[in-house]
Amino acid sequence: MFAVVGTTVDYATIRVKPALRSYYDSLVNKKDDWLKLPEWSPIQVLDEEALAAKHAREEELYRSVHNLKKES
């Protein structure tokens, strides 16, 4: 009885392992696609150009705030 159960488990493991591996790889390799935010969401993933524009706006705002503090 133990030999039959052991052989069945071994055979099932050999058959299921490649399927589970491909399923796991499909989940892990789609890091960018696992969470898509809607267009109306206030949280946005920025590309390099948008990120550079955001940093430029923040730098300009930072300079204007510090200029106001110096004038006061």
Side-chain angles (χ1 to χ4, degrees):
M1 186 167 159
F2 290 115
V4 171
V5 172
T7 304
T8 304
V9 169
D10 188 39
Y11 179 77
T13 307
I14 291 171
R15 290 290 185 173
V16 171
K17 191 173 183 179
L20 290 176
R21 172 87 52 196
S22 66
Y23 177 70
Y24 174 76
D25 289 342
S26 70
L27 289 177
V28 171
N29 290 336
K30 292 185 178 181
K31 291 181 181 178
D32 296 336
D33 295 337
W34 73 274
L35 176 62
K36 284 278 191 182
L37 297 173
E39 293 292 326
W40 51 265
S41 175
I43 301 171
Q44 296 177 357
V45 179
L46 302 176
D47 60 350
E48 292 180 21
E49 293 176 7
L51 193 59
K54 178 183 174 220
H55 285 300
R57 285 193 310 268
E58 289 174 349
E59 188 69 28
E60 183 180 334
L61 180 64
Y62 178 78
R63 287 183 187 148
S64 66
V65 168
H66 282 291
N67 286 339
L68 288 176
K69 286 182 180 180
K70 290 179 183 177
E71 291 176 2
S72 298

